[in-house]
């Protein structure tokens, strides 16, 4: 597990760390500068940033190989690979969160954002990042080189459900962040995050199962 | 209103546990939960049931016989019995829909009647009173804040006949009705704030019945312009007036108080007066006993009230702040934010480009940016104040030393507002008084402006400690803190019998304004203001107009013809600018600078001692 995690982290550091930092910084600086570091636009921008990075992290692969081949080549058990990849994604998230934290601290100071609200936002971003990562990971395994139509569909379904059903609205990270900062909805954003965590876990389990299925097929 | 949880145990001989005892207990518990009369939170939390001293009882009532005046403070009476020693009372003020506007807590005081002032704000819908102990809710009550709201003069009547009460109710007819509420003298409030909604008090002398706290509260209200009429008045300390300590040898100023012969004698006290009449009301002849209640109680139409009280100051500050010109700090604040954002972006770009595939430069740049952001937080915090202009009024009640802080947040300054971007700010504004007490005030509104009313108890009592001098200090904004929009200090003093104002040597520039009607010339009869300014040596020099340092914004607040002083009975005002010699105040961790203050005075000459 740790061997896969370290390998994934090395790959992330060499190929994705700088783009992650630069994209995040540019997006946050543009939105922050335009809105004078207002917390709500910055928080919504951070949702986009983290979903995007989660997606990129989940579907990452070397340029000359497909994702399925890379994963199948590792002599580890499926659940160890899934866990290792998830841990490396967590480290990548922590890095991205650190990079975007200065403008958020600025917003906190200038506009009186509460510490609990800020912490809840970070939790929401983490959950959104992982949901996006899980969908992309599964998708990359199913569709090999393609970043995956099912993943995009899952993402669209997830984010779009807020428009169709109020019951599902809180699973949308944009709605979560909105309600956290507007102090509306009480504990509903956390229920939404819980639902997202369950879905992410289900997606990762499906990934592990699919990985085991593919390996059995290959070995046979 | 009353809530009771638990009941006295039956005698043991009557209690025969039957086969359905457990079911009955379950049903009783379920009923207690459903009825809300005593939600046993301990059952849900697993906490042990607190030991009570018997049946727990909670009673609460609002106002005077339930009557409150909107936009004024009103007393909330609470009494609990049978609660554990460590029990506390929690008062939660809620808007429609259950949104909490504020919360206060204090010890329950078994069997004692507690008094907690509540501001009857328009958005206030319900007051929830809870009796708490060890995390458990022993009893809970809900009071409707506006069910008996009366937007007019409220007169308290103690011990007078029904006829007198009816006559008082019609005193301002046909202009407007007023509400006369019968009350017991011993039930008068013991907190000066709770008199805020009272227009006048008429009593049949009950003697020296009032507690020291009640006397101080009553005096504070009279000093601010209240009128107390005492009939069947007893002489000396045996009477109410004597027990208040305002026996004045100069009583009987009928010419100044507008009383006719036979309507009693008025004793001026601060900006108010006490009317004392030794006769019984029933001894009088003619309609209404041959007296004018309007004159005796100095009743004025509600909107023209001349009393100086917390709510009057709040209105003045609100008007002034809402109409203020854009703050000059806006440009600097905007520049600082954009510069900080650009500096951070450059740091990340540099670290990413120079660091190749190493993570440490980026991590270092981010940590460094965070550190610099927090290091500059004090400046930013003071400059922005959550993007809103903040105006404070802190009224120190002379009777109790309680500080009432009302906070006005006006959105849109110093930076432009975009409604959808507004958040509910979680961080409060920290206010500290003389290092004795501090409090945090949370702004929680998404509307254009919002009031937050909070009370804090401080461990000192200002000049009220002096026997002959009643005073209050208040903050009235805005002024500046590190260049941002913040409050100014206003202090009112009501010296009696030619007392000198407190020592003002440490204050900065000072002016004296005398209100009056011009006696000659084209403007004869019009209300005008004469100005004096204090010279460095302490001498007073007459000047043609208000001094420049007064500032446009403050002069709008205290415009002696149109603003705060319009209805005030004070004839003169001492106005100053500089450090606050009266009240050590810190806002958001920083000292309040450029404080401007005003003392309404009963006298008509510049002070000869203390001020110069």
């Amino acid at each position: 597990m740790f061997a896969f995690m370290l390998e994934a982290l090395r790959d992330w550091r060499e190929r994705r760390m700088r783009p992650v930092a630069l994209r995040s910084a540019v997006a946050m600086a543009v939105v922050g500068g335009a809105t004078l570091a207002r917390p709500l636009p910055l928080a919504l921008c951070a949702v986009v940033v983290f979903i995007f990075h989660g997606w990129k992290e989940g579907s990452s692969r070397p340029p000359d190989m497909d994702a399925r081949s890379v994963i199948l080549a590792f002599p580890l058990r499926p659940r160890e690979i899934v866990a290792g990849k998830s841990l490396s994604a967590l480290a990548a998230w922590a890095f991205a969160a650190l990079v975007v934290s200065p403008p958020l601290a600025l917003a906190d100071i200038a506009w009186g954002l509460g510490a609990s609200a800020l912490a809840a936002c970070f939790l929401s971003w983490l959950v959104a990042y992982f949901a996006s990562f899980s969908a992309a990971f599964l998708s990359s395994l199913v569709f090999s080189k393609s970043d995956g139509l099912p993943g995009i569909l899952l993402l669209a379904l997830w984010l779009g459900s807020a428009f169709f059903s109020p019951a599902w609205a809180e699973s949308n990270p944009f709605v979560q962040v909105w309600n956290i900062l507007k102090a509306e909805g009480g504990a509903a954003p956390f229920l939404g995050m819980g639902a997202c965590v369950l879905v992410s876990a289900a997606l990762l389990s499906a990934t592990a199962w699919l990985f085991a299925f593919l390996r059995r097929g290959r070995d046979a | 209103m009353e809530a009771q949880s638990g009941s006295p145990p039956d005698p043991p001989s009557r209690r025969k546990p039957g086969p359905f005892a457990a079911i009955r207990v379950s049903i009783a518990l379920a009923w207690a939960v459903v009825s809300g009369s005593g939600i046993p939170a301990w059952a849900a939390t697993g906490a042990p049931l607190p030991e009570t001293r018997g049946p727990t009882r909670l009673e609460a009532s609002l106002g005077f016989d339930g009557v409150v005046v909107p936009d004024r403070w009103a007393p909330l009476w609470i009494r609990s019995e049978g609660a554990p020693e460590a029990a506390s009372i929690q008062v939660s003020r809620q808007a429609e829909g259950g949104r909490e506007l504020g919360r206060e807590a204090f010890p329950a005081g078994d069997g004692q009647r507690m008094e907690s002032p509540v501001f009857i704000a328009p958005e206030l819908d319900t007051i929830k009173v809870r009796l708490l102990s060890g995390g458990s809710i022993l009893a809970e009550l809900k009071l409707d804040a506006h069910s008996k709201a009366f937007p007019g003069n409220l007169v308290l009547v103690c011990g007078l006949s029904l006829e007198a009460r009816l006559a008082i109710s019609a005193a301002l007819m046909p202009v407007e009705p007023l509400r006369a509420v019968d009350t017991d003298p011993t039930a008068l409030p013991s907190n000066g704030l709770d008199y805020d909604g009272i227009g006048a008090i008429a009593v049949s002398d009950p003697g020296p019945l009032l507690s020291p706290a009640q006397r101080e509260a009553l005096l504070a209200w009279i000093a601010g312009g209240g009128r107390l009429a005492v009939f069947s008045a007893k002489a000396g300390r045996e009477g109410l007036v004597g027990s208040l300590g305002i026996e004045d040898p100069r009583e009987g100023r009928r010419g100044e108080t507008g009383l006719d012969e036979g309507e009693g004698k008025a004793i001026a006290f601060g900006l108010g007066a006490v009317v004392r009449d030794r006769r019984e009301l029933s001894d009088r002849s003619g309609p209404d006993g041959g007296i004018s209640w309007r004159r005796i109680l100095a009743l004025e139409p509600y909107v023209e009230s001349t009393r100086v009280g917390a709510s009057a100051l709040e209105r003045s500050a609100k008007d002034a702040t809402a109409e203020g010109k854009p703050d000059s700090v806006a440009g600097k604040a905007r520049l600082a934010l954009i510069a900080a954002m650009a500096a951070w972006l450059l740091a990340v770009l540099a670290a990413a480009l120079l660091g190749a595939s190493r993570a440490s430069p980026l991590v270092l740049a981010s940590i460094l940016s965070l550190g610099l952001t927090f290091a500059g937080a004090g400046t930013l915090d003071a400059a922005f104040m959550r993007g809103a202009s903040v105006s404070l009024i802190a009224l120190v009640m002379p009777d109790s030393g309680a500080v009432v802080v009302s906070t006005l947040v006006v959105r849109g300054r110093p930076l432009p507002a975009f409604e959808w971007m507004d958040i509910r700010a979680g961080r409060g504004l920290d206010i500290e008084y003389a290092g004795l007490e501090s409090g945090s005030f949370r702004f929680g509104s998404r509307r254009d402006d919002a009031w937050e009313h909070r009370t804090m108890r401080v461990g000192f009592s200002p000049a009220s400690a002096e026997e002959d001098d009643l005073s209050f200090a208040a903050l009235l904004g805005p002024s500046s803190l590190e260049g941002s929009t913040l409050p100014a200090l206003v202090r009112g003093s009501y010296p009696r019998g030619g007392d000198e104002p407190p020592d003002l040597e440490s204050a900065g520039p000072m002016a004296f304004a005398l209100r009056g009607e011009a006696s000659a010339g084209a403007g004869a009869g019009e209300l005008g203001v004469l100005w004096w300014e204090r010279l460095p040596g302490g001498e007073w020099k007459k000047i043609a107009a208000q001094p420049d340092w007064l500032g446009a914004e403050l002069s709008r607040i205290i415009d002696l013809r149109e603003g705060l002083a319009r209805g005030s009975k004070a004839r003169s005002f001492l106005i100053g600018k500089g450090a606050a010699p009266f009240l050590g105040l810190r806002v958001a961790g920083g000292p309040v600078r450029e404080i401007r203050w005003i003392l309404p005075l009963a006298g008509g000459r510049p002070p000869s001692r203390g001020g110069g």
Side-chain angles (χ1 to χ4, degrees):
Chain A
M1 178 179 76
F2 289 106
F4 191 89
M5 184 190 84
L6 291 174
E7 183 61 27
L9 272 179
R10 190 190 56 76
D11 182 54
W12 165 80
R13 199 188 66 206
E14 286 179 355
R15 297 193 300 111
R16 296 190 297 283
M17 183 189 71
R18 278 207 299 182
V20 163
L22 290 175
R23 284 174 190 146
S24 306
V26 169
M28 296 294 277
V30 167
V31 172
T35 63
L36 294 170
R38 283 185 167 84
L40 190 58
L42 272 176
L44 294 175
C45 176
V47 172
V48 176
V49 164
F50 283 114
I51 287 179
F52 178 76
H53 290 320
W55 181 264
K56 296 300 282 183
E57 197 57 34
S59 57
S60 61
R61 56 184 169 78
D64 53 344
M65 293 179 76
D66 62 58
R68 187 188 297 179
S69 307
V70 173
I71 294 168
L72 286 174
F74 254 83
L76 290 172
R77 284 183 292 180
R79 68 166 183 266
E80 288 178 331
I81 288 182
V82 170
K85 178 93 172 168
S86 300
L87 283 176
S88 76
L90 187 64
W93 177 85
F95 172 80
L98 178 66
V99 168
V100 301
S101 56
L104 294 166
L106 202 64
D108 172 276
I109 292 163
W111 297 95
L113 181 60
S116 58
L118 194 60
C121 281
F122 268 98
L123 191 63
S124 174
W125 294 327
L126 175 61
V127 169
Y129 172 86
F130 251 97
S132 168
F133 161 80
S134 309
F137 193 18
L138 177 64
S139 174
S140 68
L141 206 59
V142 172
F143 285 88
S144 199
K145 282 189 175 180
S146 162
D147 276 353
L149 187 62
I152 291 173
L153 278 177
L154 275 175
L155 211 59
L157 194 67
W158 170 37
L159 299 177
S161 59
F163 299 103
F164 300 110
S165 166
W168 285 100
E170 287 295 342
S171 67
N172 184 312
F174 293 99
V175 177
Q176 286 167 14
V177 163
W178 182 282
N179 285 346
I180 288 166
L181 294 184
K182 294 274 190 182
E184 293 167 353
F190 297 96
L191 290 175
M193 287 180 218
C196 288
V197 168
L198 288 177
V199 170
S200 300
L203 288 174
L204 290 176
S205 300
T207 307
W209 178 84
L210 181 63
F211 177 51
F213 178 78
L214 291 173
R215 181 175 278 178
R216 275 201 301 273
R218 187 195 62 178
D219 294 344
Chain B
M1 191 172 279
E2 178 178 322
Q4 190 168 351
S5 68
S7 57
D10 291 335
S13 59
R14 291 186 186 176
R15 303 192 65 160
K16 294 178 180 175
F20 300 110
I23 297 173
R24 281 207 303 271
V25 169
S26 304
I27 291 171
L29 277 174
W31 173 247
V33 172
V34 171
S35 64
S37 61
I39 300 169
W42 48 267
T45 58
L49 177 62
E51 287 183 18
T52 59
R53 298 171 181 172
T56 305
R57 182 189 292 267
L58 177 67
E59 299 169 21
S61 64
L62 182 66
F64 301 94
D65 197 19
V67 179
V68 297
V69 180
D71 287 321
R72 298 283 193 278
W73 292 83
L76 172 66
W77 312 101
I78 304 164
R79 187 201 299 272
S80 67
E81 287 176 8
E85 200 169 330
S88 63
I89 299 283
Q90 186 190 79
V91 177
S92 170
R93 293 171 284 120
Q94 298 184 335
E96 202 171 356
R99 183 169 62 90
E100 189 167 73
L101 301 168
R103 180 188 293 188
E104 286 168 19
F106 40 85
D110 189 49
Q112 291 177 354
R113 192 172 81 142
M114 315 293 287
E115 186 182 332
S116 174
V118 175
F119 188 77
I120 309 298
E123 66 269 25
L124 179 66
D125 181 63
T126 309
I127 297 167
K128 191 185 279 185
V129 183
R130 283 175 166 173
L131 181 61
L132 303 171
S133 178
S136 306
I137 302 171
L138 302 180
E140 182 179 274
L141 287 172
K142 275 185 180 178
L143 301 172
D144 187 340
H146 291 276
S147 63
K148 289 178 84 172
F150 180 73
N153 277 298
L154 175 65
V155 177
L156 292 188
V157 178
C158 309
L160 300 186
S161 63
L162 177 63
E163 290 75 20
R165 192 141 51 94
L166 292 174
I168 291 171
S169 299
L172 284 178
M173 295 299 276
V175 179
E176 65 180 43
L178 62 81
R179 190 78 178 258
V181 175
D182 196 21
T183 189
D184 189 274
T186 56
L188 284 172
S190 53
N191 189 316
L193 265 184
D194 288 332
Y195 286 88
D196 193 37
I198 298 174
I201 301 175
V203 299
S204 176
D205 198 337
L209 277 183
L210 302 186
S211 68
Q214 283 175 312
R215 288 201 296 268
E216 287 296 316
L218 191 57
L219 282 171
W221 171 73
I222 298 169
R227 175 66 70 101
L228 169 70
V230 183
F231 300 95
S232 311
K234 297 167 187 163
R237 298 275 167 183
E238 293 303 308
L240 173 63
V241 180
S243 71
L244 289 173
I246 47 176
E247 291 281 6
D248 194 320
R250 298 177 304 152
E251 66 180 279
R253 292 155 56 184
R254 294 195 189 87
E256 290 183 30
T257 53
L259 295 182
D260 290 340
E261 190 65 42
E263 289 183 334
K265 293 176 179 178
I267 307 169
F269 184 77
L271 300 181
V274 176
V275 175
R276 190 171 64 175
D277 195 332
R278 296 187 193 282
R279 290 170 299 175
E280 296 269 350
L281 265 180
S282 55
D283 293 344
R284 300 167 183 278
S285 60
D288 294 346
I291 60 173
S292 165
W293 284 107
R294 181 171 184 166
R295 277 199 302 273
I296 286 183
L297 299 179
L299 293 169
E300 299 160 320
Y302 177 61
V303 292
E304 295 171 15
S305 173
T306 59
R307 278 184 299 111
V308 177
S311 34
L313 290 172
E314 283 164 12
R315 284 197 299 276
S316 304
K318 189 172 183 177
D319 293 344
T321 313
E323 295 168 6
K325 62 183 179 183
D327 200 317
S328 61
V329 79
K332 291 177 191 169
R334 189 180 286 118
L335 191 65
L337 257 184
I338 293 174
M341 202 64 73
W344 167 71
L345 179 61
L346 284 175
V348 172
L349 285 175
L353 295 175
L354 298 175
S357 61
R358 282 179 298 150
S360 50
L362 274 166
V363 171
L364 203 65
S366 298
I367 291 173
L368 198 65
S369 301
L370 267 179
L372 287 174
T373 303
F374 285 113
T379 309
L380 267 176
D381 201 21
F384 278 86
M385 286 297 169
R386 283 146 293 282
S389 167
V390 180
S391 176
L392 303 175
I393 306 168
L395 179 71
V396 180
M397 295 306 293
D399 58 306
S400 60
V403 177
V404 182
V405 179
S406 297
T407 311
L408 169 67
V409 182
V410 181
R411 295 279 181 189
R413 287 195 304 148
L415 297 169
F418 301 101
E419 196 173 335
W420 76 268
M421 292 185 189
D422 276 354
I423 61 164
R424 183 187 172 103
R427 201 148 43 82
L429 186 69
D430 294 321
I431 299 169
E432 184 185 326
Y433 290 94
L436 294 169
E437 183 94 0
S438 62
S440 183
F441 298 87
R442 186 179 167 188
F443 308 117
S445 176
R446 294 173 293 280
R447 292 174 304 150
D448 285 344
D449 54 62
W451 284 96
E452 174 83 9
H453 299 277
R454 293 279 300 273
T455 55
M456 292 201 303
R457 293 255 168 204
V458 295
F460 70 98
S461 183
S464 62
E466 301 292 329
E467 193 180 355
D468 292 333
D469 185 8
L470 283 172
S471 68
F472 71 78
L475 289 164
L476 195 56
S479 179
S480 69
L481 165 70
E482 303 285 352
S484 67
T485 304
L486 271 178
L489 180 69
V490 173
R491 179 180 164 100
S493 180
Y494 305 103
R496 294 171 45 216
D499 290 344
E500 299 296 339
D503 181 17
L504 301 172
E505 279 297 338
S506 55
M510 206 181 295
F512 180 80
L514 177 65
R515 246 173 13 131
E517 291 180 359
S519 56
E526 287 183 13
L527 199 60
V529 181
L530 299 176
W531 288 92
W532 285 261
E533 189 168 24
R534 195 179 70 153
L535 300 175
E539 297 295 317
W540 289 91
K541 177 191 172 190
K542 196 168 183 180
I543 52 178
Q546 69 176 49
D548 294 338
W549 54 259
L550 200 58
E553 206 150 16
L554 184 69
S555 68
R556 186 162 47 245
I557 299 170
I558 59 164
D559 187 316
L560 299 181
R561 281 169 291 194
E562 302 296 331
L564 170 67
R566 177 177 56 182
S568 172
K569 291 172 181 172
R571 286 182 59 207
S572 59
F573 298 84
L574 195 61
I575 303 159
K577 174 187 175 184
F582 329 108
L583 191 65
L585 177 79
R586 293 174 75 83
V587 179
V592 180
R593 297 179 184 178
E594 300 251 348
I595 290 171
R596 292 153 189 165
W597 48 265
I598 177 170
L599 276 91
L601 298 172
R605 59 188 168 79
S608 57
R609 201 187 70 192

